[in-house]
Amino acid sequence: MQLDVMTLFPHWFDWFREQRHVKNAMEDGHEVRTFNPRDHSDMSARQVDDTPFGGGAGMVLRVDVMEKALRGVYAQDPVELRKERRVIALTPGGRVLDDAFVDELAAEEQGITLLCGRYEGFDERIVQHFCSDTLSIGRYVLAGGELAAMVVCDAVLRKLPGSLGHANSAVEESFSVALDGDPEYPHYTRPAEYRGWKVPDVLLSGHHAEIETWRRARSRERGDGGSRLGR
Ligand code: SAM
């Protein structure tokens, strides 16, 4: 799968590509590519943004520069491109990312393209005419789309075969179908007792069916709002 990121700060992704699960996915043939709209600007000083019509603070990414950048990468009118490929504007007000949205994106055989905003964000015509989706990683505002793009790439890549060490790791985890959409159950490891805090007996029992029942119940409990932690 091709995960393409349009960003003014492509070097941020050098670190991301070095991470083990990302490397695994890339060795398996998946790609995380970055493109800088600045490389496609023919304005002076390779300008990519401008002041907002109507006034106000900040700078807005220009629609003509984004078109050139998308045409440069895909050799296609971006208005047509979005009919064939998920081109996603990262924006705080977009569709909030959840496991179902990640599954949808991971199923995109063509690959996906993530557009990172900066400053005030995008000229709205970029979103309206070049994008198939908007995506928010949560209802708060980051300085730019790069971290949001990494969140999306990370979540999508872990869904792809080969990127995780253990084949089952992504099957039975929080919000998966296997857990009926509930959060995952608690895990414990050695020591079996620490400062008087004991691992639940059932997990040491070796009874697989009982362990399964216990885990399912804990998972459901968490789905129902979980328990409040002390402090
Ligand atoms: N003026 C915009 C607003 O009020 O909605 C905020 C722009 S923000 C400072 C700059 C860029 O960061 C956005 O264009 C977007 O690409 C990215 N960004 C910020 N918060 C985000 C979030 N929660 N999810 C996805 N992208 C986000």
Side-chain angles (χ1 to χ4, degrees):
M1 179 175 194
Q2 215 173 46
L3 295 164
D4 289 352
V5 184
M6 197 62 84
T7 167
L8 296 171
F9 301 96
H11 59 279
W12 282 42
F13 292 82
D14 295 345
W15 170 85
F16 183 70
R17 287 194 198 88
E18 284 302 308
Q19 304 316 304
R20 185 71 261 164
H21 64 297
V22 179
K23 271 188 167 171
N24 287 346
M26 288 165 64
E27 280 161 16
D28 234 48
H30 304 296
E31 293 177 282
V32 178
R33 308 191 304 171
T34 46
F35 303 96
N36 191 340
R38 215 176 277 291
D39 295 339
H40 300 269
S41 169
D42 48 22
M43 302 174 72
S44 69
R46 299 199 297 161
Q47 184 183 340
V48 291
D49 50 15
D50 222 320
T51 52
F53 284 126
M59 299 292 272
V60 176
L61 286 174
R62 291 176 59 119
V63 62
D64 51 349
V65 173
M66 192 57 85
E67 166 153 3
K68 282 203 182 76
L70 288 167
R71 275 186 188 272
V73 175
Y74 300 105
Q76 199 177 359
D77 183 343
V79 173
E80 298 303 317
L81 177 69
R82 75 162 179 182
K83 296 177 188 163
E84 298 165 15
R85 184 181 180 91
R86 297 289 274 269
V87 179
I88 302 167
L90 298 167
T91 173
R95 174 178 166 195
V96 177
L97 188 67
D98 61 8
D99 198 56
F101 200 175
V102 174
D103 277 337
E104 255 179 55
L105 299 180
E108 286 295 325
E109 282 170 18
Q110 282 269 348
I112 61 172
T113 303
L114 302 166
L115 307 186
C116 299
R118 274 270 151 185
Y119 322 116
E120 269 315 298
F122 306 102
D123 182 307
E124 186 59 20
R125 291 166 292 185
I126 295 174
V127 180
Q128 291 299 318
H129 300 290
F130 301 162
C131 294
S132 58
D133 305 77
T134 59
L135 186 156
S136 168
I137 61 162
R139 292 292 189 243
Y140 44 83
V141 180
L142 303 167
E146 287 70 24
L147 290 174
M150 285 185 215
V151 167
V152 176
C153 290
D154 191 294
V156 168
L157 285 174
R158 349 187 28 265
K159 297 273 186 182
L160 303 176
S163 68
L164 294 180
H166 192 290
N168 283 335
S169 303
V171 174
E172 195 173 287
E173 68 178 357
S174 290
F175 320 120
S176 60
V177 173
L179 295 180
D180 295 329
D182 287 325
E184 200 183 42
Y185 43 80
H187 294 288
Y188 298 87
T189 187
R190 292 178 189 85
E193 183 171 345
Y194 183 71
R195 291 183 59 182
W197 305 323
K198 289 184 178 169
V199 170
D201 288 340
V202 63
L203 297 179
L204 310 174
S205 69
H207 292 299
H208 295 298
E210 283 177 25
I211 292 171
E212 181 59 32
T213 305
W214 181 89
R215 285 179 164 169
R216 201 57 209 90
R218 299 294 78 74
S219 180
R220 224 171 280 124
E221 234 167 54
R222 288 180 163 182
D224 291 339
S227 51
R228 189 166 168 232
L229 300 174
R231 51 179 193 147

